[in-house]
Amino acid sequence: MITDNSRVTLPGYPLPYGATLDAKGTQFSIFSSNALSVTLVLYDGTETDSQFEEYRLDPLHNKTGDIWHIWIEGVKEGQLYGYRIDGPYFPEKGHRFNRNKLLLDPYARAITGNSVWNIDDARGYDYTHDTDIFSTKDSGPVVPKCIVINHDFDWFDRPLNRPMHEMIIYETHVKGFTFHPSSGSDCGGTYKALTQKIPYLKELGVTAVELLPVHEFDMNENFRVNPETGEKLKNYWGYSTISFFAPCSHYSSSTKNGSQIYEFKEMIRDFHNAGIEIILDVVFNHTAEGDHRGPTLSFRGIDNTVYYILEENKAMYKNFSGCGNTFNCNHPLVRDFILDCLRYWVIEMHVDGFRFDLASILGRAQDGTILSNPPLIERIESDPILRNTKIIAEAWDAAGAYQVGKFPGRWAEWNGKFRDDIRRFWRGDDKSVGAFATRISGSSDLYSHNNRSPLHSINFITSHDGFTLNDLVSYTHKHNRNNGENNNDGDNHNLSYNYGIEGNEVTPFIESIRTKQIKNFIFTLLISQGVPMITAGDEFRRTQKGNNNAYCQDNEISWIDWNLIDNNHAIFEFVKNMITFRKNHPVLRKRHFASSENPQDGNSEFSWHGTRPFLPDWSDNCKIIGCMLNGEAAVSENKKRDSDIYFVCNASLFNYRIELPESPSGRQWRLVTDTADKEHTFFPDGNISVLTDNMYRVKKQSAILFIAD
């Protein structure tokens, strides 16, 4: 350690937070209201990090209010650093300061990622006991360091600002998308490899890619093992952020410190040049520091009482996230931190939007209660810098707050009710047809108030969390034993069905039913009002072998096997054709709710039908419904008439001969697709040879689609 520092230092300024590089040095700034002393540590970057400089900040000269700051001459891009912060260690009062723990700067733009984190030495207590004991273990040699970053980059791109009604979202995991050998990438599992799949994504037709968390996390924090293989399990999904400004270094194709910044920016630039937006899944509801037994890595050692919601016994953490702690989102300092972070990813990293994990926590007060007008949620919605970004809420949390339909203003939401009601209908449940109709017409029960629209609904059948689409029709029960939790993890409420045999090895008859049901789900997703989201690999039947909670499976359970696209090419073509059809017909992408429904003259925007025109059956045991969309409804928004569209969804076990209504345009109906067609036939321009006297036979468990223009 160098204690007699030769560098010139100045007091510096309280803002901006983090490490700010200039021509002659770097300014450092960090908040802590309860610290007694703050020491900045600069590391030389050697393998052992044995050489470092320490700068103890003088509270008289290096502190403004609750912000500690210093400028140091000669600190350049790539410099490694961290903080040691001392103060009271009284867990029962909420204070967990420990000068023995090297802390990450919450505003660090990058951290070193090539080391294996030694969580045991980062813990703030002796975890073999139930009571907190001050730990004297020095975590400095074993935890990542922050990196001073130069943000210069030649962007040559522009925000796409694609309107919501044009959105087709594709959810994927950075590593899992390209790590399997079949991906054909020479740098699989990286940001660079993701860009190599842009031609595929353009062919498929999606307009935005939503990435599972890319902020820094410790993928080795999971202590469980696979009971079948004895292999140590991982934190694969990354829902355990510790550095919210820093892109994950493990997803960089280079091992050079800081390279993840530039590779991430190159990825964004390439996607924008291809016309595809990037949405980040962000996890502001908790951090990787866990509960009272967890490691002291950053926030806990900086100011525990500010950053976390604590129990009345302040040694314990409220756990609305299900992950051990809850971020104190509506503390004024933490609100500013979250907004600063979001602005950074928009301004400096050019991302197009955010999906907020367990977003109901963003609306909890400092005591954990649900706020009626949450200031953070309102500030995110109205922030002028974030004005054109997509903001999407997972509108629930792990403590029972379920707020689908209740987020204000321009917030969109993952519509969990859409997922469940569509699954119930196609499974053949009784009392499901009414809810099915409500969901495919835009969920007016959730979004028709306060000037909201169908576009506030992010419609999905599957997501990373749960069964894949293939497994939804292949497994009645979850199969999570390899997660090391005795099959107790993961949701039991899957609304799935295996159609006779559990698993992927089945008879041709069962396979034909599953294929048809997969097409039915895709069909429903892409003809529904709202914004569709597809989960990566569903378009060619990716399987997780019945695991509905593969958060810890960094292996072939989670990696996408691209060989499946050849084995299931007909499904891929069907998905691609349905996406194209949706793009070509604005009447499927309406920006308002229908003004009226079901008058007998057929001139409404929506009308509902049964086996006979204008005679829908809403009874409990009905499992067939038809819907007609009037192409004239597109005129007010698109200046020209669209095709009339008619479709029927038959989830029953019976074939029906149906009579089609007269089209509003008076023109002849033409068949576009029938999911019961074993050849997966899709007629983009329609096929008129299938109709006899305006009648058509709809087979059991199938959907049909007609156009007239």
Side-chain angles (χ1 to χ4, degrees):
M1 178 181 71
I2 301 173
T3 56
D4 182 15
N5 300 310
S6 58
R7 299 179 191 265
V8 173
T9 67
L10 296 172
Y13 298 94
L15 295 176
Y17 289 116
T20 305
L21 189 69
D22 62 31
K24 295 184 178 181
T26 300
Q27 168 170 298
F28 298 88
S29 174
I30 190 169
F31 159 87
S32 182
S33 62
N34 291 295
L36 298 178
S37 71
V38 173
T39 301
L40 174 66
V41 188
L42 304 183
Y43 286 86
D44 66 356
T46 60
E47 184 175 350
T48 61
D49 286 333
S50 58
Q51 295 296 315
F52 56 88
E53 304 170 31
E54 288 190 347
Y55 295 83
R56 184 161 181 169
L57 277 56
D58 183 344
L60 294 178
H61 299 96
N62 299 103
K63 187 181 181 188
T64 302
D66 290 333
I67 303 176
W68 304 71
H69 45 82
I70 188 173
W71 179 89
I72 305 177
E73 181 186 38
V75 173
K76 300 178 181 179
E77 176 185 7
Q79 174 69 59
L80 307 186
Y81 72 98
Y83 287 95
R84 295 187 185 275
I85 299 182
D86 201 3
Y89 186 81
F90 296 128
E92 65 277 9
K93 294 183 179 181
H95 299 305
R96 292 180 176 271
F97 293 99
N98 189 335
R99 60 185 176 276
N100 299 302
K101 306 307 171 188
L102 187 75
L103 305 175
L104 293 170
D105 177 359
Y107 280 80
R109 272 41 174 184
I111 67 174
T112 57
N114 299 323
S115 60
V116 176
W117 300 26
N118 190 327
I119 294 301
D120 288 352
D121 283 352
R123 292 182 188 273
Y125 86 119
D126 183 348
Y127 65 94
T128 63
H129 297 77
D130 291 332
T131 57
D132 287 281
I133 299 174
F134 185 79
S135 172
T136 59
K137 291 181 178 179
D138 182 1
S139 67
V142 297
V143 296
K145 313 300 185 292
C146 307
I147 307 171
V148 175
I149 292 296
N150 182 342
H151 292 289
D152 291 345
F153 185 77
D154 293 328
W155 274 105
F156 302 116
D157 83 330
R158 59 181 178 80
L160 297 178
N161 293 330
R162 188 183 294 277
M164 289 296 286
H165 69 275
E166 295 182 2
M167 295 284 289
I168 298 173
I169 301 172
Y170 188 84
E171 187 199 34
T172 193
H173 185 282
V174 172
K175 180 177 181 178
F177 197 57
T178 60
F179 195 74
H180 194 279
S182 61
S183 75
S185 174
D186 57 355
C187 54
T190 66
Y191 304 120
K192 183 177 180 180
L194 192 59
T195 66
Q196 294 172 351
K197 288 295 184 181
I198 287 175
Y200 169 81
L201 295 167
K202 285 182 66 67
E203 179 187 2
L204 183 61
V206 299
T207 68
V209 172
E210 182 176 304
L211 299 176
L212 269 67
V214 300
H215 299 146
E216 281 285 7
F217 66 98
D218 178 15
M219 64 175 57
N220 295 302
E221 71 176 12
N222 194 336
F223 61 87
R224 294 186 175 89
V225 298
N226 185 325
E228 296 287 331
T229 66
E231 175 189 12
K232 188 177 185 297
L233 296 169
K234 299 289 185 68
N235 172 8
Y236 170 69
W237 283 350
Y239 286 92
S240 192
T241 303
I242 192 56
S243 196
F244 290 91
F245 283 78
C248 181
S249 54
H250 291 284
Y251 298 155
S252 173
S253 62
S254 170
T255 59
K256 181 181 178 182
N257 282 335
S259 62
Q260 62 267 35
I261 293 280
Y262 303 103
E263 190 167 323
F264 185 91
K265 289 181 176 181
E266 288 170 348
M267 177 190 71
I268 296 290
R269 182 181 63 191
D270 291 346
F271 269 88
H272 283 180
N273 289 338
I276 299 174
E277 294 183 318
I278 295 290
I279 297 170
L280 300 187
D281 197 332
V282 291
V283 191
F284 290 114
N285 56 78
H286 74 284
T287 79
E289 292 182 304
D291 63 15
H292 64 286
R293 299 165 296 179
T296 298
L297 301 169
S298 182
F299 305 97
R300 173 173 290 158
I302 294 171
D303 218 323
N304 189 60
T305 60
V306 168
Y307 283 109
Y308 294 110
I309 299 179
L310 305 178
E311 295 281 6
E312 185 175 346
N313 172 6
K314 294 184 182 299
M316 309 300 287
Y317 295 81
K318 287 189 180 292
N319 186 19
F320 299 116
S321 67
C323 298
N325 64 53
T326 305
F327 215 42
N328 194 8
C329 296
N330 280 295
H331 185 286
L333 185 284
V334 183
R335 283 202 303 266
D336 287 346
F337 169 79
I338 292 172
L339 284 161
D340 287 347
C341 184
L342 296 173
R343 292 168 186 148
Y344 169 78
W345 285 97
V346 170
I347 295 170
E348 188 61 47
M349 307 299 269
H350 287 209
V351 303
D352 302 282
F354 306 95
R355 178 265 188 188
F356 293 81
D357 182 64
L358 298 183
S360 288
I361 286 176
L362 304 183
R364 288 190 180 271
Q366 294 185 59
D367 63 359
T369 57
I370 296 289
L371 294 164
S372 57
N373 294 296
L376 176 59
I377 289 173
E378 291 180 345
R379 286 189 65 185
I380 291 171
E381 191 242 335
S382 61
D383 186 83
I385 291 175
L386 305 178
R387 188 60 188 158
N388 292 321
T389 63
K390 279 76 179 176
I391 50 174
I392 302 169
E394 183 184 37
W396 52 84
D397 65 23
Y402 191 81
Q403 298 178 297
V404 174
K406 297 180 180 178
F407 271 66
R410 65 186 186 89
W411 278 90
E413 300 170 357
W414 269 25
N415 190 346
K417 292 188 176 182
F418 179 94
R419 172 198 61 203
D420 294 347
D421 287 338
I422 302 307
R423 289 184 179 192
R424 287 189 184 96
F425 176 81
W426 282 115
R427 194 173 65 170
D429 290 9
D430 288 338
K431 303 180 182 180
S432 62
V433 69
F436 179 81
T438 299
R439 299 296 157 241
I440 65 177
S441 58
S443 295
S444 59
D445 60 330
L446 302 175
Y447 303 111
S448 62
H449 60 284
N450 295 333
N451 297 316
R452 306 190 84 195
S453 78
L455 301 177
H456 288 86
S457 175
I458 306 298
N459 298 333
F460 65 105
I461 307 296
T462 65
S463 68
H464 69 276
D465 191 0
F467 281 140
T468 67
L469 186 54
N470 177 83
D471 292 358
L472 183 66
V473 300
S474 303
Y475 295 87
T476 300
H477 308 287
K478 66 184 182 183
H479 295 263
N480 297 356
R481 295 194 182 279
N482 286 350
N483 292 356
E485 300 182 49
N486 296 316
N487 209 40
N488 292 322
D489 64 300
D491 200 344
N492 294 315
H493 184 65
N494 295 294
L495 301 171
S496 61
Y497 189 51
N498 63 24
Y499 298 95
I501 299 176
E502 189 81 349
N504 292 316
E505 301 297 326
V506 293
T507 65
F509 174 74
I510 293 175
E511 179 64 13
S512 68
I513 298 174
R514 291 179 179 178
T515 299
K516 187 167 53 174
Q517 289 288 61
I518 287 170
K519 293 172 68 179
N520 290 337
F521 280 120
I522 291 294
F523 174 93
T524 305
L525 179 65
L526 291 168
I527 56 84
S528 293
Q529 302 297 324
V531 178
M533 184 184 80
I534 299 168
T535 303
D538 277 355
E539 70 273 22
F540 48 77
R541 298 189 64 172
R542 181 176 79 89
T543 178
Q544 292 179 171
K545 299 182 179 179
N547 192 320
N548 77 345
N549 189 34
Y551 76 99
C552 57
Q553 299 293 333
D554 187 7
N555 50 49
E556 292 195 2
I557 289 293
S558 297
W559 306 334
I560 290 181
D561 182 354
W562 290 88
N563 293 314
L564 292 171
I565 199 169
D566 295 326
N567 300 338
N568 300 291
H569 191 72
I571 292 290
F572 170 75
E573 288 294 325
F574 180 79
V575 175
K576 187 171 69 172
N577 283 325
M578 282 300 306
I579 289 174
T580 299
F581 186 83
R582 179 180 181 85
K583 287 182 172 181
N584 288 342
H585 293 286
V587 75
L588 295 174
R589 302 178 275 112
K590 290 165 60 59
R591 286 168 264 181
H592 65 274
F593 284 103
S595 56
S596 61
E597 294 183 3
N598 216 40
Q600 294 294 322
D601 61 10
N603 290 324
S604 66
E605 297 180 23
F606 271 87
S607 57
W608 300 104
H609 307 264
T611 57
R612 293 291 180 266
F614 301 103
L615 295 174
D617 182 355
W618 303 113
S619 64
D620 288 351
N621 61 355
C622 178
K623 298 178 177 63
I624 183 171
I625 187 69
C627 179
M628 183 166 65
L629 306 179
N630 188 336
E632 188 68 27
V635 172
S636 61
E637 297 173 347
N638 298 278
K639 309 304 181 186
K640 63 179 181 179
R641 198 186 199 287
D642 192 8
S643 305
D644 300 322
I645 291 176
Y646 181 73
F647 58 87
V648 177
C649 296
N650 177 16
S652 78
L653 297 178
F654 303 98
N655 301 328
Y656 284 96
R657 183 172 170 82
I658 64 153
E659 179 184 353
L660 277 68
E662 182 179 349
S663 71
S665 64
R667 299 189 179 184
Q668 188 172 11
W669 291 113
R670 305 194 309 276
L671 178 70
V672 175
T673 192
D674 181 340
T675 63
D677 189 326
K678 294 184 179 181
E679 299 302 319
H680 307 285
T681 305
F682 199 98
F683 303 101
D685 298 321
N687 177 5
I688 63 173
S689 63
V690 295
L691 283 178
T692 303
D693 299 327
N694 227 34
M695 304 289 288
Y696 189 82
R697 186 169 179 260
V698 183
K699 295 182 180 178
K700 62 183 180 180
Q701 297 172 306
S702 70
I704 59 169
L705 174 64
F706 284 84
I707 59 171
D709 52 19

